[in-house]
Amino acid sequence: MNKDINVNGFSVLLFRIALSGIFILAGVSHIMHPDQVAGRINKAAFSGFAVFFGDPYILGLLSGYALLACGINFLAGIFVRYSALALLLLLIPITITIQMGNGIFHGTLWKNVALFGGLLFFIINDPQSYIISKSFKKTRS
């Protein structure tokens, strides 16, 4: 099933703006309060998964900078597909560590599933409306 569907470019822009907000705010929160992030990691049911990657405090800071940088790029329309892919890859260990231990009926798990869906939209479709990286390609030609 490979049917093209026309979508209004402005609605895609609004979708990208709405989706980017949570990543930008989470990034700022991680950077401002890495001790709280480390505490949540340490208390999580699957904390061992995160600790495998390093010290929870450092992970909080690194994930904060990554969420903020990729969220801003995603919002601004700079390399949207790659920003969405980076955010999705970052969201996987966060979801496994923090959300999975709370059970399948926990609301924040399904919030993350919805975020995966939104990011997948931009990864799979790579919409070219209202993006800055499109103008980079034109100037190189």
Side-chain angles (χ1 to χ4, degrees), residues 7-9 12 26 78-79 86 99 101-102 107 109-110 118 120 125 129-130:
V7 177
N8 181 294
V12 174
I78 301 171
F79 304 114
Q99 311 303 343
N102 295 323
L109 170 64
W110 291 103
L120 283 170
N125 297 300
S129 52
Y130 298 100

Side-chain angles (χ1 to χ4, degrees), residues 16-137:
R16 199 177 74 227
I17 291 169
L19 187 58
S20 66
I22 193 165
F23 297 109
I24 294 169
L25 292 175
V28 169
S29 177
H30 280 59
I31 292 166
M32 291 179 65
H33 307 288
D35 51 332
Q36 291 177 5
V37 175
R40 286 190 68 200
I41 291 171
N42 288 327
K43 290 178 186 173
F46 296 120
S47 62
F49 181 75
V51 173
F52 175 77
F53 294 101
D55 177 64
Y57 185 87
I58 300 298
L59 290 174
L61 283 173
L62 291 176
S63 64
Y65 287 117
L67 287 165
L68 183 60
C70 293
I72 289 171
N73 282 344
F74 188 70
L75 172 67
I78 301 171
F79 304 114
V80 171
R81 175 180 267 172
Y82 300 113
S83 298
L85 180 61
L87 289 167
L88 183 126
L89 292 174
L90 184 58
L91 194 58
I92 291 170
I94 292 171
T95 302
I96 291 170
T97 302
I98 304 297
Q99 311 303 343
M100 294 296 288
N102 295 323
I104 195 164
F105 296 109
H106 199 257
T108 54
L109 170 64
W110 291 103
K111 175 215 38 150
N112 283 16
V113 171
L115 292 173
F116 285 129
L119 292 170
L120 283 170
F121 172 84
F122 288 93
I123 293 166
I124 293 168
N125 297 300
D126 196 22
Q128 297 296 305
S129 52
Y130 298 100
I131 61 169
I132 293 175
S133 53
K134 186 176 180 178
S135 61
F136 291 150
K137 293 175 186 175

